[in-house]
């Protein structure tokens, strides 16, 4: 049985043609032809069964045959705010795996000890799209430009807010235990610092702004590992 091909097409229901990059992959790599079936994901929770109507040079047109709304795979809104690592390859790996696991929003932070203060968003989005297609996700997470730590923690966020760090002099509880506490709010956002952790002043400032101080267990994790661990804890705590 021929595998059905999967494509990311924002607002797929209002279009009749694959975006340029998806069309190039469909035509030059997969060699789709008129009559071939494919599945489109719009990133807003819907899959569409579609048929290729035109496959020519740079254009791959389609006709939607069926709309297939998807059930969310996790409750609440999962938001990870993380300081990019010095080696961007590690952060790109984290983005890929976070999308595969399931995340709604990723924000990048510029912290006192940050060694990387720029993230190339087109590249980050490309990785997120590839991960969405590979893992057959119906929702594309929001990715935000790097912003100052102080600005992020002071903005109103309608969610349970946590800052994970390694300072023993600031009281901390295990993130998973905190997430398991009864709450009317299913949404959660977790802050993860750079390789050198947040500064202690940043931690205290976050706590003063209503963020709960937490840790991720006994092991000292790399930044990208900590981000994935936090996402998994959020999801598992809701099961």
């Amino acid at each position: 049985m021929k595998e059905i091909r999967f494509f990311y097409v924002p607002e797929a229901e209002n279009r009749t043609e694959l975006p340029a990059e998806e069309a190039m992959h469909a035509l030059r790599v997969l060699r789709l032809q008129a009559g071939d079936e494919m599945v489109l994901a719009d990133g807003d929770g819907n899959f569409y069964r579609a048929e290729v109507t035109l496959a020519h040079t740079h254009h791959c047109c389609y006709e939607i045959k069926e709309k297939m709304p998807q059930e969310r795979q996790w409750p609440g809104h999962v938001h990870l705010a993380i300081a990019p690592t010095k080696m961007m390859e590690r952060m790109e790996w984290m983005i890929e795996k976070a999308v595969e696991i399931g995340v709604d929003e990723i924000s990048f932070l510029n912290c006192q000890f940050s060694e990387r203060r720029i993230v190339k968003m087109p590249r980050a989005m490309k990785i997120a799209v590839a991960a969405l297609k590979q893992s057959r996700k119906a929702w594309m997470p929001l990715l935000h430009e790097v912003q100052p730590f102080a600005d992020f923690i002071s903005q109103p966020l309608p969610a349970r807010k946590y800052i994970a760090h390694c300072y023993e002099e600031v009281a901390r509880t295990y993130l998973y235990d905190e997430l398991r506490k009864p709450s009317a709010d299913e949404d959660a956002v977790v802050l993860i610092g750079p390789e050198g952790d947040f500064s202690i002043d940043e931690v205290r400032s976050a706590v003063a702004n209503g963020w709960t101080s937490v840790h991720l267990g006994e092991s000292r994790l790399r930044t990208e590992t900590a981000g994935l661990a936090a996402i998994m804890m959020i999801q598992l705590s809701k099961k």
Side-chain angles (χ1 to χ4, degrees):
M1 182 177 177
K2 189 174 181 180
E3 181 184 359
I4 299 298
R5 304 303 185 177
F6 197 89
F7 298 92
Y8 173 57
V9 185
E11 299 184 345
E13 200 168 17
N14 299 320
R15 306 175 61 150
T16 58
E17 185 175 344
L18 294 184
E21 192 165 341
E22 294 288 75
M24 183 183 304
H25 183 68
L27 299 173
R28 297 186 181 180
V29 179
L30 302 178
R31 300 188 181 281
L32 295 189
Q33 299 177 358
D36 286 342
E37 286 193 352
M38 55 186 176
V39 173
L40 315 178
D42 64 6
D44 288 323
N46 300 296
F47 290 158
Y48 301 87
R49 185 173 63 82
E51 181 179 301
V52 177
T53 57
L54 174 68
H56 180 69
T57 315
H58 303 295
H59 300 281
C60 184
C61 299
Y62 61 82
E63 178 183 355
I64 290 176
K65 298 296 186 179
E66 181 184 6
K67 181 176 181 179
M68 302 177 288
Q70 301 298 296
E71 293 288 337
R72 291 184 61 84
Q73 298 173 341
W74 58 92
H77 187 88
V78 181
H79 187 172
L80 175 68
I82 189 167
T85 51
K86 182 178 180 180
M87 294 179 61
M88 194 58 201
E89 292 86 354
R90 286 164 50 191
M91 190 56 34
E92 291 176 351
W93 177 85
M94 193 282 303
I95 294 169
E96 177 184 77
K97 302 311 173 188
V99 175
E100 289 179 11
I101 293 169
V103 67
D104 297 293
E105 202 164 352
I106 300 176
S107 296
F108 297 106
L109 304 175
N110 181 8
C111 303
Q112 184 175 338
F113 297 149
S114 290
E115 294 190 69
R116 173 176 290 278
R117 304 179 190 277
I118 297 175
V119 172
K120 295 180 180 179
M121 296 308 294
R123 169 70 178 169
M125 280 299 303
K126 186 174 182 178
I127 290 169
V129 167
L132 174 137
K133 294 193 294 183
Q134 190 279 327
S135 59
R136 302 298 194 257
K137 289 289 188 298
W139 280 268
M140 172 60 70
L142 297 174
L143 270 61
H144 300 287
E145 298 274 1
V146 177
Q147 57 188 298
F149 173 84
D151 290 351
F152 187 86
I153 64 167
S154 61
Q155 64 182 309
L157 293 170
R160 302 167 75 176
K161 304 184 297 183
Y162 305 97
I163 179 168
H165 63 90
C166 299
Y167 292 102
E168 295 184 358
E169 54 265 55
V170 179
R172 302 173 298 160
T173 52
Y174 185 39
L175 174 60
Y176 187 72
D177 290 340
E178 282 291 334
L179 289 165
R180 295 281 288 176
K181 291 180 179 179
S183 173
D185 200 338
E186 292 281 0
D187 300 345
V189 53
V190 180
L191 304 177
I192 302 295
E195 284 96 332
D197 205 347
F198 297 111
S199 71
I200 194 165
D201 288 340
E202 286 174 327
V203 173
R204 288 171 173 159
S205 179
V207 171
N209 275 274
W211 294 76
T212 300
S213 172
V214 297
H215 65 84
L216 301 177
E218 297 301 321
S219 300
R220 190 179 181 93
L221 305 177
R222 289 181 179 270
T223 296
E224 68 275 16
T225 310
L228 295 180
I231 291 171
M232 285 301 304
M233 287 184 194
I234 295 172
Q235 289 207 14
L236 291 173
S237 70
K238 311 295 186 184
K239 300 298 185 181

